[in-house]
Amino acid sequence: MKLTFMTYDQWDDALWATIEPLYREAFPHGAKPVNILKAMLDRKIAWLHAGYQDGRLAAMAITGLSGSAGERLLIIDYMAIAAELRGQGLGRQLLEQIRDWSLREHHIQAILIEVEAGGTEEDAARVHFWEHCGFTATDYVHQYIWVPEPYRAMVLPIRENFPILDDGQTLFRHITNFHMKSFRKSGG
């Protein structure tokens, strides 16, 4: 089944009320507080994406940009598919729609995501999903001071000769800078 894809650049409490249960289900730990998500959209540093199947919410994502205009990267901050709909290709479909939107609207060079780098089966399944979608895992493992699990950057080059200059530390700086901007009280 095909997802109907929508991107929102303004916060809407009623819309969030439909998306929040999926967000909470998929990210019971480590999710950004709602006031931070709202501020990210209000400050125009993030977008909220939703995928609907038969008029019902099936998928969601939150994205943002990093880098200068000529080196623009899209960061997928969160992406989730409703648990009962996983395994049907909807995650790949949502990713493709996000990719097409970001190419059209922002002329991105690559898509970045951070994934848990622990040794659990769930971590391995997430890495496998992103690899199946064309992402490459970097070697660098980042340990945040405020969450216990380590993370690894994964990248999907869009531009043919997109450079990966090191073991992933440079890419991870984009992710870290995006998180820092997300939690700033004002500005962008």
Side-chain angles (χ1 to χ4, degrees), residues 4-166:
T4 301
F5 178 71
M6 299 293 296
T7 295
Y8 304 94
D9 64 356
Q10 295 182 3
W11 189 262
D12 180 296
D13 287 328
L15 171 67
W16 183 250
T18 66
I19 294 174
E20 187 171 23
L22 174 54
Y23 179 68
R24 297 287 174 211
E25 170 194 77
F27 306 103
H29 310 288
K32 285 185 172 90
V34 174
N35 65 320
I36 297 297
L37 297 176
K38 180 183 182 310
M40 290 165 61
L41 266 70
D42 289 348
R43 292 187 354 250
K44 308 291 186 208
I45 65 168
W47 293 268
L48 179 60
H49 309 277
Y52 300 92
Q53 191 177 60
D54 299 325
R56 196 174 130 243
L57 181 72
M60 62 79 59
I62 298 168
T63 63
L65 296 174
S66 182
S68 63
E71 300 172 349
R72 186 79 63 204
L73 306 175
L74 182 79
I75 295 172
I76 298 177
D77 200 15
Y78 297 97
M79 187 172 122
I81 306 300
E84 69 275 10
L85 299 174
R86 292 180 190 151
Q88 300 178 30
L90 297 178
R92 185 179 188 102
Q93 200 177 131
L94 180 64
L95 174 63
E96 289 169 357
Q97 291 171 330
I98 290 170
R99 180 202 61 215
D100 293 348
W101 165 83
S102 62
L103 274 167
R104 185 176 59 252
E105 298 294 323
H106 302 288
H107 311 288
I108 63 161
Q109 304 297 307
I111 300 175
L112 291 177
I113 190 160
E114 61 182 340
V115 296
E116 291 91 342
T120 69
E121 285 183 32
E122 190 176 27
D123 293 346
R126 285 188 186 109
V127 168
H128 179 74
F129 166 78
W130 292 109
E131 287 175 337
H132 183 71
C133 292
F135 281 74
T136 300
T138 60
D139 291 331
Y140 172 70
V141 174
H142 186 79
Q143 182 65 61
Y144 289 109
I145 58 172
W146 53 85
V147 294
E149 59 276 341
Y151 286 86
R152 170 176 282 119
M154 294 187 75
V155 62
L156 174 64
I158 303 298
R159 187 180 76 200
E160 190 173 318
N161 296 319
F162 178 79
I164 301 174
L165 303 174
D166 55 27

